[in-house]
Amino acid sequence: MTATSVFEAGLPAIDYGLDATPKDILDDLRRAQSRAPIAIGPMGPEILSYDLAREILRDNRFRLPPGITLAAQGITSGPLFDKLTGSLLGLDGAPHVRLRKLVAKAFTPRATSRLSETIHEVVNGLIDRVMDAGRCDVVTDIARPYPTPIMCALIGAPRQDWQLFADWTEEIFKAFNFQPDAAFDEAQIMRAWGELDAYVDDMVAARRDNLTDDLLSELIRAESDGDRLNIDELRGLVAGFLMAGTDTTRNQLAASVQVLCEHPDQWARLREQPELGMQAVEESMRHSPAACIVPRAAVEDAEFGGYLFPAGTFVFANTFAANRDPAIYDDADRFDIARTDVPAILTFGGGAHYCLGANLARRELAEALVVLTRRLSAPHRVGPAPWKSVLGMTGPTTLPIEFDVDMLATADA
């Protein structure tokens, strides 16, 4: 018997605008989720249950549509489209498997082990700048400047050039992230990407005969069955790491700080039990994730979850809903950094495109949250904290807080 088309099965509908935030859609998601594990959203079917979302992220019949963020902004060809679809974040199938195999060999503990000192130096330095004022905007003062120096240290870029990387990343990321109201200048993005590529070329040339212990050196060393990365791939990977490791971390850090501020008991608990740092990251990424919706497209007619998805159908794994699935998580809307025995969150994706830097991101976030909770007492929000659209990388656009200064909690405590 042929399965019913997902569009003709009477599934619940959820309707929201392109600028809707996670908070805006939560009640509608909850209602739909109570009726069925799949709903029809404004752009296509959305997978709402944890089990089906986890399954579709691992199902090769549903692939990441190439250049979907650009296509959503009316760009389906040209140099920027080619550049994006040729990157690790845009590839699929055999070319993607090959690159990931080589990159996995480079993403070693040796390449990340020396980052702890940089992480602490950066986060403490940012806090030092706002301590005397007793107030700050977490987004602009802490979260936004935090990840770029760490990614630069990972790659091996010298400190004096960190601001260059921050500027390039800010511009190039517009091609990777769908924001309905964002200004978009293709020529400007290509200019920034060209400057980054030229810089990476110089870094590669300098390392060919003098490899060190940074990630770029590890990428040059990486070999799989005699296969190595060429210069185009090295360029693309550095850009990909910067994109994947910067905007995600800055948005998630702001989102995690916000939810901790809104639960003073949890802030105090992390302050008293810094060993809960990793659990605080997992729980804040489950409860208040910066990445909520993962797009896929059916590459063939596919029966999934009891329904037929015609070839070409855009499908969206709503990991925001899945991470709050009441069938999986006890009291799913409760924020509790001491949760135990819970399944892995889906915020880092799954399957072939599972985030390569997930462990590094967890480490960056955990160490930042531990330092922040140790040094800032009783933080509370003192103004609005609007979020960006759920359809792209989300998180607060501003997060003004006031706090008490713990003079005993020094930067090197």
Side-chain angles (χ1 to χ4, degrees):
M1 181 179 171
T2 305
T4 305
S5 166
V6 69
F7 296 104
E8 298 167 0
L11 290 168
I14 44 178
D15 186 29
Y16 53 87
L18 295 181
D19 58 352
T21 69
K23 188 176 179 182
D24 292 337
I25 67 172
L26 181 58
D27 289 344
D28 287 342
L29 289 180
R30 180 67 73 239
R31 278 192 290 272
Q33 201 173 39
S34 68
R35 290 179 51 200
I38 302 173
I40 304 300
M43 298 178 298
E46 296 195 16
I47 311 300
L48 306 182
S49 79
Y50 179 93
D51 288 340
L52 284 186
R54 184 177 182 276
E55 190 179 331
I56 203 165
L57 291 173
R58 290 160 172 75
D59 192 324
N60 287 330
R61 297 173 302 167
F62 298 90
R63 300 278 179 88
L64 187 67
I68 187 172
T69 52
L70 288 179
Q73 296 170 87
I75 297 172
T76 55
S77 62
L80 181 58
F81 188 83
D82 293 343
K83 195 125 174 100
L84 185 74
T85 54
S87 72
L88 183 62
L89 300 176
L91 286 175
D92 227 320
H96 177 256
V97 170
R98 172 187 165 266
L99 266 193
R100 276 194 69 113
K101 189 182 288 187
L102 285 162
V103 172
K105 289 178 179 292
F107 234 110
T108 61
R110 178 169 66 174
T112 57
S113 61
R114 56 196 184 84
L115 288 179
S116 191
E117 187 178 328
T118 303
I119 288 171
H120 281 265
E121 180 187 337
V122 171
V123 71
N124 279 303
L126 293 169
I127 294 170
D128 287 344
R129 293 183 201 167
V130 301
M131 283 291 273
D132 290 345
R135 62 183 295 141
C136 71
D137 182 339
V138 172
V139 173
T140 54
D141 296 326
I142 307 289
R144 190 170 293 155
Y146 175 59
T148 300
I150 296 162
M151 294 307 295
C152 288
L154 174 69
I155 293 162
R159 182 180 297 266
Q160 65 266 25
D161 293 339
W162 287 357
Q163 188 56 49
L164 279 174
F165 277 83
D167 295 342
W168 290 329
T169 303
E170 190 81 25
E171 192 60 46
I172 298 168
F173 196 79
K174 292 171 184 172
F176 287 83
N177 192 25
F178 175 66
Q179 292 295 345
D181 54 354
F184 192 93
D185 185 334
E186 185 174 354
Q188 205 166 307
I189 293 171
M190 285 301 291
R191 212 164 26 246
W193 208 328
E195 290 172 11
L196 173 60
D197 283 348
Y199 189 103
V200 173
D201 285 353
D202 290 343
M203 287 179 75
V204 171
R207 278 163 176 72
R208 286 290 186 194
D209 301 315
N210 185 27
L211 293 174
T212 61
D213 60 352
D214 54 57
L215 181 61
L216 184 57
S217 295
E218 296 290 354
L219 289 169
I220 294 169
R221 285 189 186 101
E223 182 180 335
S224 176
D225 301 325
D227 187 16
R228 287 182 181 274
L229 296 161
N230 62 41
I231 185 63
D232 286 339
E233 290 164 342
L234 288 168
R235 284 190 206 118
L237 287 169
V238 169
F241 288 141
L242 286 169
M243 300 311 111
T246 301
D247 215 58
T248 46
T249 302
R250 58 169 55 137
N251 280 291
Q252 187 59 59
L253 179 57
S256 296
V257 170
Q258 180 174 347
V259 70
L260 280 163
C261 283
E262 291 171 353
H263 296 80
D265 60 319
Q266 299 294 303
W267 185 281
R269 184 164 196 173
L270 182 54
R271 179 186 176 90
E272 292 157 13
Q273 297 176 260
E275 66 275 11
L276 291 177
M278 281 294 185
Q279 283 177 241
V281 171
E282 294 298 297
E283 178 66 352
S284 59
M285 290 188 75
R286 183 195 71 80
H287 182 280
S288 300
C292 297
I293 297 196
V294 183
R296 291 287 186 265
V299 296
E300 59 189 64
D301 287 351
E303 190 173 328
F304 178 84
Y307 303 100
L308 175 67
F309 289 76
T313 300
F314 281 106
V315 189
F316 301 86
N318 192 316
T319 55
F320 176 54
N323 283 335
R324 292 208 192 190
D325 187 343
I328 300 293
Y329 297 98
D330 180 42
D331 195 2
D333 291 332
R334 186 182 82 247
F335 177 67
D336 179 5
I337 65 171
R339 279 184 190 270
T340 55
D341 301 325
V342 291
I345 57 171
L346 298 178
T347 313
F348 286 112
H353 284 275
Y354 181 79
C355 176
L356 268 170
N359 289 331
L360 174 60
R362 285 186 175 101
R363 183 175 175 184
E364 286 180 80
L365 292 164
E367 296 196 27
L369 293 177
V370 166
V371 173
L372 283 161
T373 53
R374 187 187 72 231
R375 296 192 63 192
L376 310 182
S377 297
H380 55 281
R381 186 156 57 86
V382 291
W387 276 45
K388 289 173 281 193
S389 166
V390 71
L391 296 175
M393 192 61 61
T394 188
T397 58
T398 180
L399 179 57
I401 65 167
E402 289 182 352
F403 50 83
D404 298 332
V405 177
D406 187 341
M407 300 310 292
L408 298 178
T410 58
D412 51 4

